[in-house]
């Protein structure tokens, strides 16, 4: 029987070189979008989709991320002694049924390698992967029923791995994993159940089979770990998650879902600053 997707893997070990100098000593995942660090939006998205175990794939120099999800008892006591219970509660935002664990990726061998490090915790269970550079806009009123939640439900219904994609401009296809659609299939926005015949990682425009790019949200059948175990470095000399997805397509079938709403790239200085302005404006309107 296929059960609820309970695990989410968040690869956070990268150095964030596109965010320097900001990311030199502060992990890029802890940089703010308005009043919260980027990673909090991603964790809240996972929790809204029913995830109960968050697994950080981390690096020794980025322990500040783990600390962010811990309780700072000294600060907590101090705030409560001053009657600031509401503020103290907001810092301990993880629901009681949600836990955060951490594993290490000591060597930067690629996204596929990062995800593989979570196997000892996840076992053979299905799991989500959320790339924390990508923040899906939390301003939609329908947020709780949005993309990841729909993908988890679709996995529960079909047992098939789900990949979130979004249409990108021709000038951006070289940055992403690009979907090759199954012949004759159209893919309506927000609907699950569209089959895909493969992915090409970071193609040149002339080699791109479509403009549908992987957004950074996946719901995997646990079988993907078997393919990651055997995966060899390919594009960019890295072990690519897309290669394991292609193997999974051949053995189990994979569906894509076209994203609803808006995504923000918080891993690039220009788009991060644009996102900051948008998030801050929402926050200020909320306060006003
Ligand atoms: C990764 C994936 C790519 C995906 C992208 C989304 O690339 O390899 O398939 O489209 O994330 O952000 P990265 O941005 O880590 O180079």
């Amino acid at each position: 029987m296929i059960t609820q997707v309970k695990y989410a893997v968040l690869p956070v070990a990268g150095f964030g070189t596109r965010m320097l100098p900001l990311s030199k000593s502060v992990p890029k995942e802890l940089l703010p979008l308005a009043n919260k660090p980027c990673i909090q939006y991603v964790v809240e998205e996972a929790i809204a989709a029913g995830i109960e175990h968050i697994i950080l794939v981390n690096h020794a120099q980025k322990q500040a991320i783990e600390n962010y999800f811990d309780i700072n008892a000294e600060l907590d006591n101090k705030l409560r002694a001053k009657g600031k219970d509401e503020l103290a509660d907001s810092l301990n935002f993880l629901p009681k049924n949600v836990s955060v664990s951490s594993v290490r990726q000591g060597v930067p061998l690629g996204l596929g390698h990062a995800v593989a490090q979570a196997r000892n915790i996840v076992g053979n269970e299905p799991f989500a992967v959320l790339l924390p550079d990508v923040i899906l806009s939390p301003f939609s009123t329908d947020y709780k029923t949005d993309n990841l939640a729909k993908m988890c439900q679709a996995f529960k219904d079909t047992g098939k791995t789900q990949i979130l994609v979004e249409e990108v401009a021709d000038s951006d296809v070289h940055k992403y994993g690009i979907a090759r659609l199954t012949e004759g299939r159209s893919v309506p926005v927000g609907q699950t159940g569209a089959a895909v015949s493969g992915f090409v990682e970071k193609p040149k425009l002339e080699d791109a089979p479509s403009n549908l790019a992987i957004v950074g949200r996946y719901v995997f059948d646990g079988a993907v770990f078997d393919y990651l175990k055997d995966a060899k470095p390919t594009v960019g000399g890295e072990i690519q998650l897309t290669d394991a997805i292609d193997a999974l397509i051949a053995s189990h079938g994979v569906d894509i879902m076209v994203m609803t709403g808006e995504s923000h790239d918080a891993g690039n200085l220009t788009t991060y600053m644009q996102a900051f302005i948008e998030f801050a404006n929402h926050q200020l309107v909320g306060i006003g």
Side-chain angles (χ1 to χ4, degrees), residues 18 110-112 131 133-134 164 173-178 199-202 212-218 238-242 245 265:
R18 290 179 299 150
L111 179 58
L131 305 188
D133 275 1
V134 182
L164 192 67
V173 293
H174 70 278
K175 298 180 189 165
Y176 298 103
I178 301 291
F199 285 93
V200 187
E201 182 66 23
K202 301 190 175 69
L212 291 175
I214 299 178
V215 176
R217 300 293 183 269
Y218 314 74
E238 297 191 342
I239 295 174
Q240 296 289 352
L241 190 54
T242 32
I245 295 170
D265 179 3

Side-chain angles (χ1 to χ4, degrees), residues 254-277:
V254 168
D255 284 348
I256 54 173
M257 185 178 109
V258 181
M259 190 187 81
T260 53
E262 227 187 316
S263 73
H264 302 275
D265 179 3
N268 166 297
L269 213 42
T270 308
T271 48
Y272 164 74
M273 289 191 288
Q274 287 163 342
F276 187 93
I277 292 168

